[in-house]
Structure formats: structure tokens, C-alpha cells
Amino acid sequence: MVQCEMCGAETASPKTIKVEGAELDVCDNCADFGTEVKTQQTSSTSTKYSTSSSSSSGNSSTSTGSAGSSGGSRSRRRDMFDDMDEIAPDYDDRIRNARESTGLSQEDLAKELNEKASLIRKLEHGDILPSDSVQRKLEKKLDISLTVGSAGADDEEWSGGSSTGSYTLGDVVKRKD
């Protein structure tokens, strides 16, 4: 018996469905929440995961095949979140200290940013994280940085290109920050 990945019920014959891009093995009751994925029953694509008996042939085809054709790559591909800066853990103190050093009250700062004073209070207490637009406004008005860079130093040292010698758009584009 297999457990349904959506509701947790035990099912003898799970169906594979796609819900918002994720493939789930679900029971018959939950199958209506997505679209059913048809699986091929050929020997070359019999399983999604490689086994020890087929690992030697699977590795050679994965290394020479095109990326994204099988979805079985072992190393995680970089995505947009790898290049994003993280909000500093002490963002609330940074906002409060910068506001106080400029002599502004929370209400005055809120008016200048065209935001509500309650938002400034919540940010300074650390109750909420600033949205991207509020973060930019605060950084510009108070002349502070609310982020901790995640990839800034790595980008400078990186020479570009891939192991195959081909280049991508990311290899030649310079970001304006």
C-alpha cells in the first residue's frame, strides 16, 4: 500500500497527477485536483530513478545528453534564488537606528515614503519583512542597506563559460545594480 501524497490516505493503485507543476502520486479521490500524467512503459524510461545495475549506462547518457531532456541530473541547477540578496537578520535595528539618526519620527518617515506609520512600526519591531518596493524606498531615503549579499563576491571571481565550452546569456550580461 502506498500513501497518497495529497491527503495521506492509503491506496493500492496510486495515480500520478500534475498539480501546479508538481507531480504527485495520489489516491482516486484526489486525482480530480490535477491532470493525470501518462507514463511511458519502455525499457529506456522505465523508472525515474537510476538503479545500481543501470547506473553505468545512465551516467554516460546523462553526461552527453542535452540538459532538461531526462530531468535526472544529479547536480542542482542554479536558479533565480541563488542570485538574490537576503534580508539582513538585523534589518529592524538598521531601520530604527537610521531613522533616529536622521531625526525623523515613524509617522514622518511613513509620510515621506508614502506608506502607513503602522508599517514602519511593524518593520522596526521585526514583525514583518519589507516588500521589495518598501525595501528600496527605505534604503534610498535612509541611505542604508537592508540586505546581506549572497552572490556578489562570487560573481566577480567567476570567469564564465561552462565545462562544455559553450556560453549562455548569463555569461556575457552584466547586471546594473
Side-chain angles (χ1 to χ4, degrees):
M1 294 289 268
V2 177
Q3 195 173 21
C4 173
E5 293 179 347
M6 190 172 281
C7 69
E10 295 288 329
T11 179
S13 58
K15 292 184 178 180
T16 303
I17 64 166
K18 189 173 244 184
V19 178
E20 294 186 11
E23 290 187 10
L24 304 171
D25 290 329
V26 298
C27 63
D28 291 331
N29 295 334
C30 294
D32 295 334
F33 292 112
T35 55
E36 189 169 355
V37 176
K38 302 292 182 193
T39 57
Q40 297 177 346
Q41 297 298 326
T42 63
S43 61
S44 64
T45 58
S46 62
T47 61
K48 187 160 122 178
Y49 307 102
S50 64
T51 60
S52 60
S53 62
S54 65
S55 64
S56 62
S57 64
N59 286 342
S60 63
S61 65
T62 304
S63 62
T64 58
S66 64
S69 63
S70 65
S73 65
R74 292 204 168 112
S75 63
R76 187 180 71 84
R77 295 183 62 112
R78 291 181 51 90
D79 58 17
M80 63 181 264
F81 297 109
D82 292 334
D83 296 328
M84 292 177 63
D85 292 335
E86 295 181 24
I87 297 287
D90 64 338
Y91 73 94
D92 50 347
D93 294 329
R94 292 182 186 189
I95 295 171
R96 185 181 316 103
N97 294 337
R99 177 186 57 80
E100 289 173 351
S101 68
T102 58
L104 292 171
S105 67
Q106 290 177 340
E107 291 76 18
D108 293 337
L109 178 60
K111 284 180 187 174
E112 292 191 24
L113 298 179
N114 199 21
E115 298 290 341
K116 294 184 178 182
S118 61
L119 174 68
I120 303 300
R121 276 192 291 279
K122 289 178 182 179
L123 288 170
E124 287 186 2
H125 283 127
D127 293 336
I128 61 172
L129 292 172
S131 66
D132 290 342
S133 63
V134 171
Q135 178 182 342
R136 282 191 298 273
K137 288 180 190 179
L138 285 166
E139 289 176 336
K140 186 174 182 180
K141 177 65 184 166
L142 300 174
D143 194 29
I144 58 172
S145 174
L146 298 177
T147 59
V148 176
S150 62
D154 295 339
D155 288 344
E156 299 301 323
E157 297 172 9
W158 186 68
S159 62
S162 65
S163 61
T164 61
S166 62
Y167 287 94
T168 65
L169 184 59
D171 297 333
V172 294
V173 172
K174 296 286 183 195
R175 290 179 29 192
K176 283 193 215 176
D177 286 333

